[in-house]
Amino acid sequence: MKEQLRELILQAIQALQDDATLPADLALPGFVIERARSREHGDFACNVAMLLAKPARAKPRELAEKLVAALPANDLVAKVEIAGPGFINFFLAASAYHAELRRILAEADAYGRSAGGGKTVGVEFVSANPTGPLHVGHGRAAAIGDCLSRLLEATGWNVKREFYYNDAGVQIANLAVSVQARARGVTPDDSNWPENGYRGDYIADVARAFLDRDAVVADGETVTANGDVDDLDAIRRFAVASLRREQDLDLQAFGVGFDTYFLESSLYSDGKVEETVRELVAHGHTYEEGGALWLRTTEFGDDKDRVMRKSDGTYTYFLPDVAYHLSKWQRGYERAITELGSDHHGSLARVKAGLQALNVGIPKNWPEYVLHQMVTVMRGGEEVKISKRAGSYVTLRDLIDEVGRDATRYFLISRKSDSQLVFDIDLARSQSNDNPVYYIQYAHARVCSVLRQAPEKGFSFDLADGLTQLARLDNEHEQILLTELSKFPEIVETAALNLEPHLVAGWLRELANAFHTYYNSHQFLVEDAALRNARLALVVATQQVLKNGLGLLGLGAPEKM
């Protein structure tokens, strides 16, 4: 609808250029067509007159009147009004919404999706070190990253989901000595427990499996324990594989999968880190001071220069990040999006600076970052801080087991990623209208119930006839529902463009509310066949859009509840 209105406005502008009201060489401004905030102001409003007033040497309202007079006749528009300083308000004809309903039913699962250039975007998310079960923060990252991927696919991108993890370094060393201590019978309560050891019960599980000489398959490789408590390297390999496998099982239970698992160690074994250092030195963006190698990140907007290689010869953590993102560019990712916890904010500028210093054509805004804030889990009005198994934190599996996959996904995606989120377990478990995911899915189940009841009650449904009777959809609740349905393609486009999947979650609740209100106010299975067919056509369209929207969030569309 917005594109059709935009075309009408462009034709009106051309008409005013033809009669010299507007300059022929006018640079068209980026005018906006947006949904009106209230029904009294129509369906859409446009600010084009205010933007063109200066080049036209006219008052905005006067120019708005001329633009309205120059608009071509179109069955889409019932009337046009001018409001305030010069907003052009469009009131659409009922036939415009009827056409959209037909489009919904014609396009079915494809409604809301759009074709794109098929360019490749890499979406990296979760990327948890394999040192323990996934916690609720990882769950939020998984929900956001997966929904972003679905939205980008829906708008024409070729999406590659990527998981990057550290399989070496200090944290992995701490994991290995923790498992070794447990295998030797040492517990976290003992005085000789490793200072930075991991204390959760899952460490004991891994230790038992290692002593039992179990085999674990992770990332396509089988790792078999040898049971030798003195072989720390074997313990490390087995512990990493065990926890990677557990992470995969948790993510599978959450409905999340990846195309690529990228190991940090490969950056060293494949020479990518050294290659990156050589290129940065060759381009003259480094210097030595105090025995360390520095990168002049201030040349690219950072607040201070950063150490790349410390005086002891080891690399700081941001350098492999630069090498890793360079590998994405070399692998053909025309766009890269990284989803991270907000605690990583400080490293973003230096990674971008390192990529610019390589001078290989990487755009300045590459990669893009989506940061999420912390999650507070509540039960019975009190914060839940620990898991029985992980010990120090709430795991993703805890939430899935408590409230189910769909409720967990919805609650973790329901708010803008950079805002803090309270996950209320009691609310997520409730089967009431206060629970948003239940409320939305119940709308879909209600539609299915109506369609099942029709033949049971002796009523037929002729969709083809219903589509010829759409003029019968003339009450306020039907108009509101039609309006909400028509917003879906715009919501998808905006959510994908702004990397804000919570917009889909919020809009689904509005759509469900419009349907439930309609359901509670009107009978669908009525004796009047024409009215019945028209209403059921609207109900079926609602079912389709609910299903499409739920699918973008990775949620099921149940037929019974």
Side-chain angles (χ1 to χ4, degrees):
M1 292 181 176
K2 287 171 69 173
E3 287 306 312
Q4 291 173 279
L5 291 175
R6 180 176 295 277
E7 182 58 33
L8 293 178
I9 292 168
L10 291 175
Q11 291 181 43
I13 291 172
Q14 183 62 57
L16 295 186
Q17 288 178 302
D18 291 344
D19 67 12
T21 301
L22 289 173
D25 59 351
L26 176 72
L28 286 178
F31 62 89
V32 175
I33 300 172
E34 58 187 0
R35 294 274 177 174
R37 294 184 179 180
S38 66
R39 293 177 63 82
E40 294 75 24
H41 295 151
D43 296 285
F44 291 92
C46 183
N47 65 344
V48 65
M50 288 172 284
L51 297 177
L52 288 176
K54 187 174 181 179
R57 298 180 180 178
K59 293 180 179 179
R61 194 173 178 92
E62 292 176 355
L63 181 58
E65 292 171 352
K66 293 178 180 179
L67 283 166
V68 170
L71 285 170
N74 190 285
D75 293 340
L76 178 73
V77 181
K79 65 175 180 177
V80 184
E81 292 182 352
I82 300 168
F87 285 103
I88 300 175
N89 292 342
F90 293 91
F91 294 75
L92 299 189
S95 59
Y97 288 106
H98 299 163
E100 195 69 12
L101 188 152
R102 293 187 185 94
R103 179 186 165 199
I104 292 169
L105 296 175
E107 295 184 3
D109 290 348
Y111 182 71
R113 306 180 75 87
S114 55
K119 292 183 177 180
T120 298
V121 55
V123 182
E124 179 205 340
F125 57 107
V126 183
S127 294
N129 289 335
T131 55
L134 296 176
H135 56 61
V136 65
H138 295 135
R140 191 175 192 190
I144 293 169
D146 187 57
C147 291
L148 281 175
S149 299
R150 292 167 185 264
L151 281 165
L152 291 165
E153 285 173 335
T155 50
W157 288 89
N158 173 30
V159 178
K160 299 296 183 184
R161 294 164 172 83
E162 188 149 323
F163 189 118
Y164 172 80
Y165 69 91
N166 176 3
D167 56 334
V170 175
Q171 292 184 12
I172 301 301
N174 289 336
L175 170 66
V177 296
S178 302
V179 173
Q180 184 181 54
R182 277 287 197 175
R184 287 174 169 166
V186 180
T187 69
D189 297 328
D190 294 337
S191 59
N192 56 343
W193 181 257
E195 182 179 357
N196 296 311
Y198 294 96
R199 309 173 72 87
D201 288 348
Y202 67 92
I203 296 295
D205 297 338
V206 176
R208 279 192 296 271
F210 180 78
L211 292 172
D212 291 341
R213 293 177 169 80
D214 285 355
V216 176
V217 179
D219 303 327
E221 180 182 356
T222 300
V223 178
T224 303
N226 64 16
D228 182 357
V229 295
D230 295 321
D231 190 342
L232 190 59
D233 190 53
I235 291 173
R236 177 189 60 78
R237 289 197 305 273
F238 183 77
V240 167
S242 296
L243 292 170
R244 277 290 308 116
R245 175 60 177 160
E246 182 164 326
Q247 288 179 347
D248 282 346
L249 291 173
D250 286 350
L251 290 167
Q252 288 171 20
F254 204 42
V256 174
F258 293 88
D259 301 297
T260 301
Y261 290 92
F262 196 102
L263 280 68
E264 182 183 2
S265 63
S266 71
L267 294 170
Y268 295 93
S269 61
D270 294 345
K272 293 296 184 183
V273 170
E274 288 296 336
E275 174 192 338
T276 301
V277 173
R278 285 196 303 272
E279 288 299 315
L280 291 171
V281 171
H283 285 92
H285 297 299
T286 64
Y287 61 94
E288 293 200 27
E289 183 178 291
L293 182 65
W294 294 69
L295 179 65
R296 291 191 178 91
T297 54
T298 50
E299 295 179 356
F300 303 94
D302 199 3
D303 59 346
K304 61 181 180 180
D305 292 343
R306 306 289 176 174
V307 174
M308 293 195 313
R309 188 174 60 219
K310 293 182 285 187
S311 57
D312 63 4
T314 61
Y315 293 109
T316 56
Y317 70 90
F318 98 92
L319 184 63
D321 280 352
V322 175
Y324 170 50
H325 282 87
L326 173 61
S327 83
K328 292 182 182 181
W329 179 256
Q330 293 170 336
R331 284 181 280 146
Y333 290 3
E334 295 159 275
R335 186 179 178 191
I337 299 168
T338 304
E339 204 287 339
L340 293 169
S342 58
D343 56 321
H344 289 83
H345 183 271
S347 66
L348 309 187
R350 67 197 71 166
V351 172
K352 286 190 174 184
L355 292 169
Q356 290 303 300
L358 288 168
N359 195 29
V360 292
I362 296 175
K364 289 185 177 180
N365 64 343
W366 197 103
E368 302 163 65
Y369 289 100
V370 176
L371 303 181
H372 70 263
Q373 289 281 358
M374 65 178 290
V375 181
T376 301
V377 180
M378 305 289 289
R379 182 196 284 116
E382 297 183 356
E383 183 176 353
V384 181
K385 293 185 177 180
I386 62 173
S387 161
K388 289 181 180 178
R389 184 157 183 267
S392 60
Y393 56 85
V394 179
T395 70
L396 173 60
R397 177 69 71 167
D398 289 334
L399 290 185
I400 296 173
D401 290 345
E402 282 264 5
V403 304
R405 186 188 78 177
D406 283 0
T408 302
R409 285 185 69 111
Y410 184 90
F411 274 71
L412 291 176
I413 202 67
S414 61
R415 298 209 47 194
K416 192 173 181 180
S417 60
D418 62 3
S419 64
Q420 293 193 359
L421 186 149
V422 174
F423 192 112
D424 188 329
I425 288 177
D426 298 323
L427 177 59
R429 292 185 64 178
S430 69
Q431 296 188 0
S432 71
N433 291 343
D434 293 329
N435 179 350
V437 69
Y438 175 85
Y439 190 64
I440 295 164
Q441 290 181 320
Y442 186 44
H444 185 272
R446 260 186 162 174
V447 172
C448 296
S449 177
V450 169
L451 297 176
R452 285 195 303 270
Q453 289 175 29
E456 293 171 0
K457 294 184 176 182
F459 290 109
S460 62
F461 170 39
D462 186 336
L463 177 59
D465 179 66
L467 294 178
T468 68
Q469 304 291 339
L470 297 181
R472 299 292 300 274
L473 302 175
D474 56 6
N475 68 61
E476 181 184 16
H477 296 117
E478 288 161 344
Q479 293 168 5
I480 292 173
L481 183 54
L482 282 164
T483 299
E484 284 301 325
L485 290 171
S486 71
K487 292 178 182 178
F488 183 56
E490 300 163 37
I491 293 291
V492 174
E493 181 182 17
T494 302
L497 183 65
N498 297 329
L499 305 180
E500 295 182 335
H502 74 281
L503 295 176
V504 177
W507 170 82
L508 276 170
R509 193 170 185 177
E510 295 297 320
L511 177 61
N513 182 62
F515 175 76
H516 287 307
T517 302
Y518 180 38
Y519 180 95
N520 293 330
S521 303
H522 300 278
Q523 291 289 322
F524 302 150
L525 303 179
V526 295
E527 293 292 341
D528 184 335
L531 180 60
R532 180 175 71 246
N533 288 333
R535 287 182 173 173
L536 289 179
L538 175 56
V539 166
V540 170
T542 303
Q543 177 192 35
Q544 182 67 64
V545 179
L546 282 167
K547 176 188 172 188
N548 292 2
L550 287 164
L552 287 176
L553 301 185
L555 306 180
E559 297 184 3
K560 293 182 180 180
M561 290 180 69

